Amino acid sequence: MAPSSRKPVRAAGCVLWRRSPTAGGLEIALVHRPKYDDWSHPKGKLKRDEDWLAGALREVAEETGMRCVPGPRLPTTHYLANGRPKEVRYWAAEAVGGSFDPTLEVDRLRWLPPDQARRVLTQERDKELVDALLGVLHDGPGARPGMRPATPS
């Protein structure tokens, strides 16, 4: 079967954000995956028949230890991973609590201002998600950025 006709790997994640506890500005969570030695947004493959948003929230919890409130959908990314098409759906999500414990899959978590997050992220497609997050936060209703209900998958 040709790679273009193969069913894509389904994955989901969040661009996780919070207000800085010290400076009050926006911070974005990035995870370091030692297997790939890269910095990315928390994401992962869906389990069989798992809902996209449920999978995104599960992956955030597993990789960062954070509980979050999902907001608007962000752009979906499509790329080849190990020669196989991959589709990753993302949501904006505000961190509301939790604590990080390193694992074999994710050994570091960093909270960074958007400009610094763009410089640290490994993949260009992940940098574009920072801009998408900033867009939905600025366009959000009233003074509650990112708090719009999640859209169904």
Side-chain angles (χ1 to χ4, degrees):
M1 181 181 279
S4 61
S5 63
R6 293 178 72 184
K7 195 171 186 177
V9 173
R10 296 177 346 127
C14 293
V15 179
L16 188 63
W17 66 274
R18 70 178 184 187
R19 292 284 169 205
S20 168
T22 55
L26 182 76
E27 294 180 329
I28 297 172
L30 303 184
V31 295
H32 180 262
R33 303 179 305 165
K35 179 178 178 180
Y36 304 105
D37 190 25
D38 70 352
W39 287 94
S40 67
H41 301 291
K43 66 179 178 304
K45 294 177 193 163
L46 298 183
K47 295 179 179 181
R48 183 185 309 274
D49 299 324
E50 185 175 30
D51 174 76
W52 291 91
L53 179 57
L57 298 177
R58 177 184 53 76
E59 285 293 336
V60 166
E62 288 176 3
E63 293 189 355
T64 70
M66 297 290 133
R67 293 182 314 280
C68 63
V69 175
R73 275 282 304 273
L74 297 175
T76 298
T77 61
H78 300 269
Y79 55 95
L80 289 178
N82 299 319
R84 194 156 172 220
K86 188 170 189 176
E87 175 181 353
V88 187
R89 294 187 188 179
Y90 286 95
W91 281 262
E94 182 179 10
V96 294
S99 63
F100 175 71
D101 288 314
T103 65
L104 292 176
E105 185 180 355
V106 173
D107 63 350
R108 288 183 276 169
L109 170 72
R110 292 180 70 186
W111 289 98
L112 300 170
D115 287 345
Q116 200 173 347
R118 271 191 215 92
R119 288 192 299 272
V120 171
L121 284 161
T122 303
Q123 297 295 327
E124 193 63 36
R125 62 183 168 260
D126 289 338
K127 296 174 186 185
E128 293 168 4
L129 288 166
V130 171
D131 296 327
L133 171 72
L134 295 176
V136 299
L137 292 182
H138 291 163
D139 294 339
R144 301 287 298 156
M147 299 303 290
R148 286 186 274 180
T151 57
S153 50

